[in-house]
Amino acid sequence: MRVVVERELTREDLDTRRSGSRLERIYLMYEEEGDETLHRTIREEIPAHAARRLLSRRMIELIDALHRNPGANITQLANLLGRSVANVYRDLLFLKRYRLVRFEARSRERIPLLTLRKIVVSVG
């Protein structure tokens, strides 16, 4: 089984670029035009252990809540899901590790923003 995600490029993708890489041209555009003008996606295969967690019921509920409530903070998401803030935060860190979520600072809050666009599961 293969699980491939399609997600937005993040600043981390651009900051970890290597000279001559396929992201170099995008990085140069990023430097010239700024973060807001780039809306590119990237496809990556997720390891089996991560795919299992990504496709769990609680994670799918969290992803759906992020999609339906853009701009919600971690506490608001936890309340919407009926889960503890600590558990939601732990799941958000997992999504961040695979760059499926990024955090934006708004005053004293960290707002999780979904970068995930598509999950494709294939067998064989």
Side-chain angles (χ1 to χ4, degrees), residues 35-113:
D35 200 17
E36 298 300 317
T37 60
L38 290 177
H39 298 287
R40 311 275 183 176
T41 59
I42 188 169
R43 288 189 181 120
E44 296 178 313
E45 186 169 351
I46 298 291
H49 70 279
R52 189 172 17 260
R53 184 170 176 194
L54 178 64
L55 297 173
S56 71
R57 181 181 58 83
R58 288 201 181 258
M59 198 64 74
I60 296 295
E61 289 172 350
L62 175 57
I63 291 167
D64 186 54
L66 285 164
H67 176 71
R68 292 178 186 270
N69 302 284
N73 66 30
I74 299 167
T75 303
Q76 292 167 331
L77 289 169
N79 289 336
L80 284 169
L81 296 168
R83 296 176 58 195
S84 73
V85 172
N87 286 337
V88 170
Y89 183 66
R90 189 176 312 117
D91 284 346
L92 289 168
L93 289 179
F94 167 81
L95 292 172
K96 183 180 184 299
R97 183 179 321 134
Y98 291 95
R99 297 182 182 165
L100 305 176
V101 163
R102 66 181 174 87
F103 287 96
E104 183 177 284
R106 290 192 191 152
S107 65
R108 293 176 46 163
E109 297 178 321
R110 291 180 66 198
I111 306 299
L113 300 172

Side-chain angles (χ1 to χ4, degrees), residues 25-38:
R25 191 177 97 244
I26 294 171
Y27 183 82
L28 294 174
M29 288 173 56
Y30 162 77
E31 285 184 331
E32 291 173 13
E33 299 175 21
D35 200 17
E36 298 300 317
T37 60
L38 290 177

